[in-house]
Amino acid sequence: MDKLPKIALPAIFIFIVLVILISKSAVTIGSGEAGVLYKTFGNGVVTDKPPMGEGFHLVAPWNKVYIYEVRQQEVFEKMNVLSSNGLDIKLDASAWFQPKYNELGKLHQEKGEDYVQRVLLPTIRSAARSVVGRYTPEQLYSSKRDAIQMEIFEETKKIVDDEYIQLNEILVRDVTLPPTIKDAIERKLKQEQESLEYEFRLITAEKEAERQRIEAQGKADANKILSASLTDKILQDKGIDATLKMSESPNSKVVVIGSGGDGLPLILGNN
């Protein structure tokens, strides 16, 4: 009985030490995450091997694991930029990005955990200022937004590709102009729209007038051909045919007494 406490105390101590070591050695990496291993007594950040994947891992207690999200993420940025004529423009944009998985160790070693603030956002701001500075407020407000979005994406991607960041998309969500400039542009666009509508009406009217001229010319040509083909004999025959049809009508009483001066029957006694 006297020996039991002497054996139990060291065992309890060893058990506590083991629990502490295991707790410090155990690392759980969640879904959509990856770990970068830092070896304290080695060469520091491990860059020559893929990062640690999802799940449970045991590492030496003197080493450390830095966990990064490797899924696609979104960051929002509001910027004040200048147009080509020096007007202040407010740009609201967002970026879809993720770290390059196989180069996560280099990203941690060279850029650090706050790589978004250190690399990505400054690059987006620089690209946005460069791109927007090529356009007028009218272009920014109306027709060139898609082009601006694509140019910002291409310029940003060209830089961050070498910084171990995969850029998937840049979205320009809003472009805000000074109120006076916005009102002036809207008035100009309205006037241009009204002018286009007026031109359309003129073109439509001209086409209708041309159609009527062609139709009238066709009728005139047809009448000319018809007049040339109608001889006195044909007219006399058609007159006789018409007179016979009228005489057959129950509502008419026709008396033929000789003929008229043009050789057609003379009709009297219509009721």
Side-chain angles (χ1 to χ4, degrees), residues 11-76:
I12 293 172
F13 176 75
I14 292 172
F15 176 76
I16 293 173
V17 171
L18 288 174
V19 170
I20 293 173
L21 288 176
I22 292 173
S23 65
K24 287 187 173 294
S25 301
V27 177
T28 301
I29 299 177
S31 176
E33 296 177 336
V36 175
L37 179 62
Y38 178 84
K39 294 183 176 180
T40 303
F41 300 109
N43 295 322
V45 178
V46 176
T47 60
D48 57 349
K49 295 180 181 179
M52 300 168 65
E54 301 172 3
F56 181 81
H57 301 268
L58 284 175
V59 298
W62 51 83
N63 293 336
K64 189 173 181 180
V65 176
Y66 296 89
I67 297 177
Y68 283 79
E69 184 173 2
V70 292
R71 290 175 293 199
Q72 178 174 281
Q73 305 162 62
E74 185 173 23
V75 63
F76 296 88

Short mmCIF file of all heavy atoms in Angstrom, two decimals, residues 11-76:
data_model
loop_
_atom_site.label_atom_id
_atom_site.label_comp_id
_atom_site.label_asym_id
_atom_site.label_seq_id
_atom_site.Cartn_x
_atom_site.Cartn_y
_atom_site.Cartn_z
N ALA A 11 3.19 7.90 -12.88
CA ALA A 11 2.33 7.48 -13.99
C ALA A 11 1.35 8.59 -14.37
O ALA A 11 1.11 8.86 -15.57
CB ALA A 11 1.56 6.21 -13.60
N ILE A 12 0.81 9.22 -13.33
CA ILE A 12 -0.12 10.33 -13.61
C ILE A 12 0.61 11.47 -14.32
O ILE A 12 0.11 12.08 -15.26
CB ILE A 12 -0.77 10.81 -12.30
CG1 ILE A 12 -1.69 9.72 -11.74
CG2 ILE A 12 -1.56 12.10 -12.54
CD1 ILE A 12 -2.22 10.03 -10.35
N PHE A 13 1.84 11.74 -13.86
CA PHE A 13 2.63 12.81 -14.47
C PHE A 13 2.92 12.50 -15.94
O PHE A 13 2.80 13.36 -16.81
CB PHE A 13 3.93 13.00 -13.68
CG PHE A 13 4.84 14.01 -14.28
CD1 PHE A 13 4.58 15.38 -14.16
CD2 PHE A 13 5.97 13.61 -15.01
CE1 PHE A 13 5.44 16.32 -14.72
CE2 PHE A 13 6.81 14.55 -15.57
CZ PHE A 13 6.54 15.91 -15.42
N ILE A 14 3.34 11.25 -16.20
CA ILE A 14 3.64 10.85 -17.58
C ILE A 14 2.38 10.94 -18.45
O ILE A 14 2.42 11.39 -19.62
CB ILE A 14 4.22 9.42 -17.60
CG1 ILE A 14 5.61 9.42 -16.94
CG2 ILE A 14 4.31 8.89 -19.03
CD1 ILE A 14 6.19 8.04 -16.73
N PHE A 15 1.26 10.54 -17.89
CA PHE A 15 0.00 10.60 -18.65
C PHE A 15 -0.35 12.04 -19.02
O PHE A 15 -0.76 12.32 -20.15
CB PHE A 15 -1.12 9.97 -17.81
CG PHE A 15 -2.47 10.06 -18.44
CD1 PHE A 15 -2.84 9.23 -19.49
CD2 PHE A 15 -3.39 11.02 -18.00
CE1 PHE A 15 -4.08 9.33 -20.08
CE2 PHE A 15 -4.63 11.13 -18.59
CZ PHE A 15 -4.98 10.28 -19.63
N ILE A 16 -0.18 12.96 -18.06
CA ILE A 16 -0.50 14.36 -18.32
C ILE A 16 0.41 14.93 -19.40
O ILE A 16 -0.01 15.65 -20.31
CB ILE A 16 -0.38 15.18 -17.02
CG1 ILE A 16 -1.47 14.76 -16.02
CG2 ILE A 16 -0.47 16.68 -17.31
CD1 ILE A 16 -1.32 15.39 -14.65
N VAL A 17 1.71 14.56 -19.32
CA VAL A 17 2.66 15.03 -20.33
C VAL A 17 2.28 14.50 -21.72
O VAL A 17 2.33 15.24 -22.71
CB VAL A 17 4.09 14.59 -19.96
CG1 VAL A 17 5.06 14.87 -21.12
CG2 VAL A 17 4.56 15.30 -18.70
N LEU A 18 1.91 13.23 -21.79
CA LEU A 18 1.50 12.65 -23.06
C LEU A 18 0.27 13.34 -23.63
O LEU A 18 0.18 13.61 -24.84
CB LEU A 18 1.23 11.15 -22.90
CG LEU A 18 2.46 10.26 -22.70
CD1 LEU A 18 2.04 8.83 -22.41
CD2 LEU A 18 3.34 10.30 -23.95
N VAL A 19 -0.70 13.65 -22.76
CA VAL A 19 -1.91 14.35 -23.21
C VAL A 19 -1.56 15.71 -23.78
O VAL A 19 -2.07 16.13 -24.83
CB VAL A 19 -2.93 14.47 -22.06
CG1 VAL A 19 -4.06 15.41 -22.45
CG2 VAL A 19 -3.48 13.10 -21.69
N ILE A 20 -0.65 16.43 -23.11
CA ILE A 20 -0.24 17.76 -23.57
C ILE A 20 0.48 17.66 -24.92
O ILE A 20 0.22 18.44 -25.85
CB ILE A 20 0.65 18.44 -22.52
CG1 ILE A 20 -0.17 18.75 -21.26
CG2 ILE A 20 1.25 19.73 -23.09
CD1 ILE A 20 0.67 19.27 -20.11
N LEU A 21 1.38 16.65 -25.03
CA LEU A 21 2.12 16.49 -26.28
C LEU A 21 1.19 16.15 -27.45
O LEU A 21 1.32 16.70 -28.55
CB LEU A 21 3.18 15.41 -26.12
CG LEU A 21 4.39 15.76 -25.25
CD1 LEU A 21 5.30 14.56 -25.09
CD2 LEU A 21 5.16 16.94 -25.83
N ILE A 22 0.26 15.24 -27.20
CA ILE A 22 -0.67 14.85 -28.26
C ILE A 22 -1.56 16.02 -28.67
O ILE A 22 -1.83 16.25 -29.85
CB ILE A 22 -1.52 13.64 -27.82
CG1 ILE A 22 -0.61 12.40 -27.70
CG2 ILE A 22 -2.65 13.37 -28.81
CD1 ILE A 22 -1.31 11.19 -27.12
N SER A 23 -2.03 16.77 -27.66
CA SER A 23 -2.90 17.91 -27.98
C SER A 23 -2.18 18.96 -28.80
O SER A 23 -2.76 19.60 -29.67
CB SER A 23 -3.44 18.53 -26.68
OG SER A 23 -2.38 19.09 -25.93
N LYS A 24 -0.86 19.10 -28.52
CA LYS A 24 -0.09 20.07 -29.30
C LYS A 24 0.36 19.51 -30.65
O LYS A 24 0.71 20.26 -31.55
CB LYS A 24 1.13 20.53 -28.49
CG LYS A 24 0.77 21.46 -27.34
CD LYS A 24 2.01 22.01 -26.69
CE LYS A 24 1.66 23.07 -25.65
NZ LYS A 24 1.05 24.26 -26.24
N SER A 25 0.36 18.20 -30.76
CA SER A 25 0.79 17.58 -32.00
C SER A 25 -0.37 17.34 -32.96
O SER A 25 -0.16 17.18 -34.17
CB SER A 25 1.49 16.24 -31.71
OG SER A 25 2.62 16.44 -30.88
N ALA A 26 -1.58 17.28 -32.44
CA ALA A 26 -2.74 16.96 -33.27
C ALA A 26 -3.23 18.21 -33.99
O ALA A 26 -3.40 19.27 -33.38
CB ALA A 26 -3.85 16.36 -32.42
N VAL A 27 -3.44 18.08 -35.28
CA VAL A 27 -3.94 19.18 -36.10
C VAL A 27 -5.10 18.66 -36.95
O VAL A 27 -4.96 17.63 -37.62
CB VAL A 27 -2.84 19.75 -37.02
CG1 VAL A 27 -3.41 20.84 -37.91
CG2 VAL A 27 -1.68 20.27 -36.20
N THR A 28 -6.21 19.37 -36.91
CA THR A 28 -7.36 19.01 -37.75
C THR A 28 -7.58 20.11 -38.77
O THR A 28 -7.77 21.28 -38.42
CB THR A 28 -8.63 18.83 -36.90
OG1 THR A 28 -8.39 17.79 -35.93
CG2 THR A 28 -9.81 18.44 -37.78
N ILE A 29 -7.52 19.73 -40.03
CA ILE A 29 -7.72 20.69 -41.12
C ILE A 29 -9.11 20.48 -41.69
O ILE A 29 -9.48 19.37 -42.07
CB ILE A 29 -6.65 20.49 -42.21
CG1 ILE A 29 -5.25 20.74 -41.60
CG2 ILE A 29 -6.90 21.44 -43.39
CD1 ILE A 29 -4.12 20.49 -42.56
N GLY A 30 -9.89 21.54 -41.71
CA GLY A 30 -11.29 21.46 -42.10
C GLY A 30 -11.50 21.40 -43.60
O GLY A 30 -10.56 21.47 -44.41
N SER A 31 -12.78 21.30 -43.98
CA SER A 31 -13.16 21.23 -45.38
C SER A 31 -12.82 22.53 -46.10
O SER A 31 -13.08 23.63 -45.58
CB SER A 31 -14.66 20.95 -45.49
OG SER A 31 -15.07 20.96 -46.83
N GLY A 32 -12.24 22.41 -47.28
CA GLY A 32 -11.88 23.59 -48.06
C GLY A 32 -10.64 24.30 -47.55
O GLY A 32 -10.39 25.45 -47.92
N GLU A 33 -9.86 23.63 -46.71
CA GLU A 33 -8.65 24.23 -46.14
C GLU A 33 -7.43 23.37 -46.44
O GLU A 33 -7.55 22.20 -46.83
CB GLU A 33 -8.79 24.41 -44.63
CG GLU A 33 -9.90 25.36 -44.21
CD GLU A 33 -10.06 25.47 -42.72
OE1 GLU A 33 -9.67 24.51 -42.01
OE2 GLU A 33 -10.58 26.50 -42.25
N ALA A 34 -6.26 23.94 -46.25
CA ALA A 34 -5.00 23.23 -46.40
C ALA A 34 -4.01 23.81 -45.41
O ALA A 34 -4.16 24.96 -44.96
CB ALA A 34 -4.46 23.33 -47.82
N GLY A 35 -3.02 23.00 -45.03
CA GLY A 35 -2.07 23.44 -44.01
C GLY A 35 -0.66 23.55 -44.54
O GLY A 35 -0.19 22.71 -45.32
N VAL A 36 0.04 24.59 -44.08
CA VAL A 36 1.45 24.78 -44.40
C VAL A 36 2.26 24.43 -43.15
O VAL A 36 2.04 25.02 -42.09
CB VAL A 36 1.73 26.23 -44.85
CG1 VAL A 36 3.24 26.43 -45.07
CG2 VAL A 36 0.97 26.55 -46.12
N LEU A 37 3.17 23.52 -43.30
CA LEU A 37 3.96 23.06 -42.16
C LEU A 37 5.22 23.91 -42.01
O LEU A 37 5.95 24.14 -42.97
CB LEU A 37 4.35 21.58 -42.35
CG LEU A 37 5.22 20.96 -41.25
CD1 LEU A 37 4.48 20.97 -39.91
CD2 LEU A 37 5.63 19.55 -41.63
N TYR A 38 5.46 24.33 -40.74
CA TYR A 38 6.67 25.08 -40.41
C TYR A 38 7.50 24.24 -39.44
O TYR A 38 7.04 23.91 -38.34
CB TYR A 38 6.33 26.42 -39.78
CG TYR A 38 7.55 27.23 -39.37
CD1 TYR A 38 8.21 28.03 -40.29
CD2 TYR A 38 8.05 27.15 -38.06
CE1 TYR A 38 9.34 28.75 -39.92
CE2 TYR A 38 9.17 27.87 -37.69
CZ TYR A 38 9.81 28.67 -38.63
OH TYR A 38 10.93 29.38 -38.26
N LYS A 39 8.72 23.86 -39.89
CA LYS A 39 9.59 23.05 -39.06
C LYS A 39 10.57 23.94 -38.30
O LYS A 39 11.46 24.56 -38.90
CB LYS A 39 10.36 22.05 -39.94
CG LYS A 39 9.47 21.00 -40.59
CD LYS A 39 10.30 20.00 -41.38
CE LYS A 39 9.44 18.89 -41.95
NZ LYS A 39 10.24 17.91 -42.73
N THR A 40 10.41 23.95 -36.98
CA THR A 40 11.23 24.84 -36.15
C THR A 40 12.70 24.47 -36.22
O THR A 40 13.57 25.35 -36.29
CB THR A 40 10.74 24.78 -34.69
OG1 THR A 40 9.36 25.12 -34.64
CG2 THR A 40 11.53 25.74 -33.81
N PHE A 41 13.01 23.18 -36.20
CA PHE A 41 14.40 22.73 -36.22
C PHE A 41 14.79 22.21 -37.60
O PHE A 41 15.76 21.45 -37.73
CB PHE A 41 14.60 21.63 -35.16
CG PHE A 41 14.30 22.10 -33.77
CD1 PHE A 41 13.17 21.66 -33.11
CD2 PHE A 41 15.14 23.00 -33.13
CE1 PHE A 41 12.87 22.10 -31.84
CE2 PHE A 41 14.85 23.45 -31.84
CZ PHE A 41 13.71 23.00 -31.20
N GLY A 42 14.07 22.59 -38.58
CA GLY A 42 14.40 22.19 -39.94
C GLY A 42 14.71 23.41 -40.78
O GLY A 42 15.40 24.34 -40.35
N ASN A 43 14.15 23.43 -42.00
CA ASN A 43 14.39 24.56 -42.91
C ASN A 43 13.25 25.57 -42.91
O ASN A 43 13.07 26.31 -43.87
CB ASN A 43 14.62 24.03 -44.33
CG ASN A 43 15.89 23.20 -44.43
OD1 ASN A 43 16.90 23.53 -43.80
ND2 ASN A 43 15.83 22.12 -45.19
N GLY A 44 12.46 25.56 -41.87
CA GLY A 44 11.35 26.51 -41.79
C GLY A 44 10.15 26.03 -42.57
O GLY A 44 9.73 24.87 -42.46
N VAL A 45 9.60 26.90 -43.39
CA VAL A 45 8.39 26.57 -44.16
C VAL A 45 8.71 25.51 -45.20
O VAL A 45 9.69 25.62 -45.95
CB VAL A 45 7.83 27.83 -44.85
CG1 VAL A 45 6.59 27.48 -45.68
CG2 VAL A 45 7.47 28.88 -43.81
N VAL A 46 7.84 24.48 -45.23
CA VAL A 46 8.00 23.41 -46.21
C VAL A 46 7.40 23.89 -47.54
O VAL A 46 6.19 24.11 -47.64
CB VAL A 46 7.31 22.12 -45.75
CG1 VAL A 46 7.39 21.05 -46.83
CG2 VAL A 46 7.93 21.62 -44.45
N THR A 47 8.27 24.06 -48.54
CA THR A 47 7.80 24.54 -49.85
C THR A 47 7.99 23.52 -50.97
O THR A 47 7.49 23.72 -52.07
CB THR A 47 8.55 25.83 -50.24
OG1 THR A 47 9.96 25.56 -50.30
CG2 THR A 47 8.29 26.94 -49.23
N ASP A 48 8.73 22.45 -50.68
CA ASP A 48 9.02 21.46 -51.72
C ASP A 48 8.04 20.29 -51.71
O ASP A 48 8.24 19.31 -52.44
CB ASP A 48 10.45 20.94 -51.57
CG ASP A 48 10.72 20.34 -50.18
OD1 ASP A 48 9.86 20.52 -49.29
OD2 ASP A 48 11.78 19.71 -50.01
N LYS A 49 7.00 20.35 -50.87
CA LYS A 49 5.98 19.31 -50.82
C LYS A 49 4.60 19.96 -50.85
O LYS A 49 4.46 21.12 -50.45
CB LYS A 49 6.12 18.48 -49.54
CG LYS A 49 7.42 17.68 -49.46
CD LYS A 49 7.47 16.89 -48.17
CE LYS A 49 8.77 16.09 -48.06
NZ LYS A 49 8.83 15.32 -46.79
N PRO A 50 3.60 19.22 -51.32
CA PRO A 50 2.24 19.77 -51.31
C PRO A 50 1.79 20.09 -49.89
O PRO A 50 2.28 19.49 -48.92
CB PRO A 50 1.38 18.65 -51.91
CG PRO A 50 2.35 17.80 -52.67
CD PRO A 50 3.64 17.88 -51.94
N PRO A 51 0.86 21.01 -49.73
CA PRO A 51 0.38 21.34 -48.39
C PRO A 51 -0.38 20.16 -47.77
O PRO A 51 -0.76 19.22 -48.45
CB PRO A 51 -0.53 22.54 -48.62
CG PRO A 51 -0.95 22.42 -50.05
CD PRO A 51 0.20 21.80 -50.77
N MET A 52 -0.59 20.23 -46.48
CA MET A 52 -1.34 19.20 -45.77
C MET A 52 -2.82 19.33 -46.11
O MET A 52 -3.38 20.42 -46.07
CB MET A 52 -1.12 19.35 -44.27
CG MET A 52 0.35 19.21 -43.87
SD MET A 52 0.68 19.73 -42.17
CE MET A 52 -0.25 18.49 -41.26
N GLY A 53 -3.45 18.20 -46.44
CA GLY A 53 -4.84 18.21 -46.85
C GLY A 53 -5.81 18.15 -45.69
O GLY A 53 -5.42 18.22 -44.50
N GLU A 54 -7.08 18.01 -46.01
CA GLU A 54 -8.13 17.97 -45.00
C GLU A 54 -7.98 16.73 -44.11
O GLU A 54 -7.50 15.69 -44.55
CB GLU A 54 -9.50 17.96 -45.67
CG GLU A 54 -9.76 19.16 -46.56
CD GLU A 54 -11.05 19.03 -47.36
OE1 GLU A 54 -11.75 18.01 -47.16
OE2 GLU A 54 -11.35 19.91 -48.17
N GLY A 55 -8.44 16.88 -42.87
CA GLY A 55 -8.46 15.74 -41.96
C GLY A 55 -7.55 15.91 -40.76
O GLY A 55 -7.09 17.02 -40.45
N PHE A 56 -7.30 14.80 -40.07
CA PHE A 56 -6.53 14.79 -38.82
C PHE A 56 -5.07 14.49 -39.12
O PHE A 56 -4.74 13.56 -39.87
CB PHE A 56 -7.11 13.73 -37.87
CG PHE A 56 -6.40 13.64 -36.55
CD1 PHE A 56 -6.68 14.53 -35.53
CD2 PHE A 56 -5.46 12.65 -36.33
CE1 PHE A 56 -6.02 14.45 -34.31
CE2 PHE A 56 -4.80 12.56 -35.11
CZ PHE A 56 -5.08 13.46 -34.10
N HIS A 57 -4.15 15.24 -38.48
CA HIS A 57 -2.72 15.06 -38.69
C HIS A 57 -2.00 15.14 -37.34
O HIS A 57 -2.42 15.85 -36.42
CB HIS A 57 -2.15 16.14 -39.62
CG HIS A 57 -2.80 16.18 -40.96
ND1 HIS A 57 -2.31 15.49 -42.05
CD2 HIS A 57 -3.90 16.85 -41.41
CE1 HIS A 57 -3.07 15.71 -43.11
NE2 HIS A 57 -4.05 16.54 -42.73
N LEU A 58 -0.89 14.41 -37.24
CA LEU A 58 0.00 14.50 -36.09
C LEU A 58 1.33 15.08 -36.54
O LEU A 58 1.95 14.58 -37.51
CB LEU A 58 0.22 13.12 -35.47
CG LEU A 58 -0.94 12.57 -34.61
CD1 LEU A 58 -0.62 11.16 -34.16
CD2 LEU A 58 -1.23 13.46 -33.42
N VAL A 59 1.77 16.12 -35.86
CA VAL A 59 3.06 16.75 -36.18
C VAL A 59 3.85 16.86 -34.89
O VAL A 59 3.30 16.79 -33.78
CB VAL A 59 2.87 18.14 -36.82
CG1 VAL A 59 2.12 18.04 -38.14
CG2 VAL A 59 2.13 19.08 -35.87
N ALA A 60 5.12 17.06 -35.05
CA ALA A 60 5.97 17.24 -33.87
C ALA A 60 5.50 18.47 -33.09
O ALA A 60 5.16 19.49 -33.69
CB ALA A 60 7.42 17.38 -34.29
N PRO A 61 5.46 18.39 -31.78
CA PRO A 61 4.92 19.50 -30.99
C PRO A 61 5.69 20.80 -31.15
O PRO A 61 5.17 21.88 -30.85
CB PRO A 61 4.98 18.98 -29.56
CG PRO A 61 5.97 17.88 -29.58
CD PRO A 61 5.88 17.27 -30.94
N TRP A 62 6.95 20.72 -31.58
CA TRP A 62 7.72 21.96 -31.76
C TRP A 62 7.55 22.57 -33.16
O TRP A 62 8.06 23.64 -33.42
CB TRP A 62 9.21 21.69 -31.50
CG TRP A 62 9.73 20.50 -32.26
CD1 TRP A 62 10.16 20.45 -33.54
CD2 TRP A 62 9.84 19.17 -31.74
NE1 TRP A 62 10.55 19.19 -33.88
CE2 TRP A 62 10.37 18.38 -32.80
CE3 TRP A 62 9.56 18.58 -30.51
CZ2 TRP A 62 10.61 17.01 -32.63
CZ3 TRP A 62 9.81 17.24 -30.34
CH2 TRP A 62 10.31 16.46 -31.40
N ASN A 63 6.85 21.86 -34.01
CA ASN A 63 6.52 22.41 -35.33
C ASN A 63 5.15 23.08 -35.29
O ASN A 63 4.39 22.90 -34.33
CB ASN A 63 6.51 21.31 -36.40
CG ASN A 63 7.91 20.76 -36.64
OD1 ASN A 63 8.90 21.43 -36.38
ND2 ASN A 63 7.99 19.53 -37.12
N LYS A 64 4.83 23.81 -36.34
CA LYS A 64 3.57 24.55 -36.37
C LYS A 64 2.93 24.42 -37.75
O LYS A 64 3.63 24.33 -38.77
CB LYS A 64 3.80 26.03 -36.04
CG LYS A 64 2.53 26.82 -35.85
CD LYS A 64 2.83 28.23 -35.35
CE LYS A 64 1.54 29.02 -35.13
NZ LYS A 64 1.80 30.40 -34.65
N VAL A 65 1.61 24.41 -37.77
CA VAL A 65 0.86 24.32 -39.02
C VAL A 65 0.01 25.58 -39.19
O VAL A 65 -0.76 25.94 -38.29
CB VAL A 65 -0.04 23.07 -39.06
CG1 VAL A 65 -0.88 23.05 -40.34
CG2 VAL A 65 0.80 21.80 -38.96
N TYR A 66 0.17 26.24 -40.34
CA TYR A 66 -0.62 27.43 -40.67
C TYR A 66 -1.72 27.00 -41.65
O TYR A 66 -1.43 26.43 -42.70
CB TYR A 66 0.25 28.51 -41.29
CG TYR A 66 1.29 29.05 -40.34
CD1 TYR A 66 2.55 28.45 -40.26
CD2 TYR A 66 1.03 30.15 -39.53
CE1 TYR A 66 3.52 28.93 -39.39
CE2 TYR A 66 1.99 30.64 -38.65
CZ TYR A 66 3.23 30.02 -38.58
OH TYR A 66 4.18 30.50 -37.71
N ILE A 67 -2.95 27.27 -41.28
CA ILE A 67 -4.10 26.80 -42.07
C ILE A 67 -4.62 27.92 -42.95
O ILE A 67 -4.85 29.05 -42.48
CB ILE A 67 -5.20 26.27 -41.14
CG1 ILE A 67 -4.68 25.05 -40.37
CG2 ILE A 67 -6.45 25.88 -41.96
CD1 ILE A 67 -5.66 24.49 -39.38
N TYR A 68 -4.81 27.59 -44.23
CA TYR A 68 -5.33 28.55 -45.22
C TYR A 68 -6.62 28.00 -45.83
O TYR A 68 -6.76 26.79 -46.03
CB TYR A 68 -4.32 28.75 -46.36
CG TYR A 68 -3.17 29.66 -46.02
CD1 TYR A 68 -2.09 29.18 -45.27
CD2 TYR A 68 -3.13 30.97 -46.46
CE1 TYR A 68 -1.02 30.00 -44.97
CE2 TYR A 68 -2.06 31.80 -46.17
CZ TYR A 68 -1.01 31.30 -45.41
OH TYR A 68 0.06 32.12 -45.11
N GLU A 69 -7.53 28.91 -46.16
CA GLU A 69 -8.70 28.52 -46.94
C GLU A 69 -8.29 28.48 -48.41
O GLU A 69 -7.75 29.45 -48.95
CB GLU A 69 -9.85 29.50 -46.75
CG GLU A 69 -11.12 29.09 -47.46
CD GLU A 69 -12.31 29.99 -47.12
OE1 GLU A 69 -12.14 30.96 -46.37
OE2 GLU A 69 -13.42 29.71 -47.64
N VAL A 70 -8.57 27.35 -49.07
CA VAL A 70 -8.16 27.19 -50.47
C VAL A 70 -9.36 27.15 -51.41
O VAL A 70 -9.19 26.98 -52.62
CB VAL A 70 -7.31 25.91 -50.64
CG1 VAL A 70 -5.98 26.06 -49.93
CG2 VAL A 70 -8.06 24.67 -50.14
N ARG A 71 -10.56 27.33 -50.88
CA ARG A 71 -11.74 27.46 -51.74
C ARG A 71 -11.77 28.86 -52.36
O ARG A 71 -11.06 29.76 -51.92
CB ARG A 71 -13.01 27.23 -50.94
CG ARG A 71 -13.23 25.81 -50.49
CD ARG A 71 -14.44 25.68 -49.60
NE ARG A 71 -14.26 26.34 -48.33
CZ ARG A 71 -14.99 26.08 -47.24
NH1 ARG A 71 -15.93 25.18 -47.29
NH2 ARG A 71 -14.77 26.73 -46.12
N GLN A 72 -12.65 29.01 -53.37
CA GLN A 72 -12.83 30.34 -53.95
C GLN A 72 -13.41 31.28 -52.91
O GLN A 72 -14.37 30.97 -52.22
CB GLN A 72 -13.75 30.27 -55.17
CG GLN A 72 -14.03 31.65 -55.79
CD GLN A 72 -14.81 31.57 -57.07
OE1 GLN A 72 -14.26 31.29 -58.12
NE2 GLN A 72 -16.10 31.83 -57.01
N GLN A 73 -12.83 32.45 -52.82
CA GLN A 73 -13.26 33.47 -51.87
C GLN A 73 -13.61 34.75 -52.62
O GLN A 73 -13.27 34.91 -53.78
CB GLN A 73 -12.15 33.75 -50.85
CG GLN A 73 -11.65 32.51 -50.12
CD GLN A 73 -10.31 32.71 -49.48
OE1 GLN A 73 -10.13 33.55 -48.60
NE2 GLN A 73 -9.32 31.93 -49.94
N GLU A 74 -14.28 35.66 -51.94
CA GLU A 74 -14.65 36.94 -52.55
C GLU A 74 -14.24 38.08 -51.63
O GLU A 74 -14.45 38.02 -50.42
CB GLU A 74 -16.16 37.00 -52.83
CG GLU A 74 -16.57 38.27 -53.57
CD GLU A 74 -18.04 38.24 -53.99
OE1 GLU A 74 -18.81 37.49 -53.36
OE2 GLU A 74 -18.40 38.97 -54.93
N VAL A 75 -13.65 39.09 -52.22
CA VAL A 75 -13.27 40.28 -51.47
C VAL A 75 -13.87 41.49 -52.16
O VAL A 75 -13.91 41.57 -53.38
CB VAL A 75 -11.73 40.40 -51.38
CG1 VAL A 75 -11.10 40.56 -52.76
CG2 VAL A 75 -11.33 41.55 -50.49
N PHE A 76 -14.38 42.44 -51.37
CA PHE A 76 -15.03 43.63 -51.89
C PHE A 76 -14.11 44.83 -51.70
O PHE A 76 -13.37 44.92 -50.72
CB PHE A 76 -16.36 43.89 -51.17
CG PHE A 76 -17.38 42.82 -51.39
CD1 PHE A 76 -17.43 41.70 -50.56
CD2 PHE A 76 -18.29 42.90 -52.43
CE1 PHE A 76 -18.37 40.71 -50.76
CE2 PHE A 76 -19.23 41.92 -52.64
CZ PHE A 76 -19.27 40.81 -51.80
#
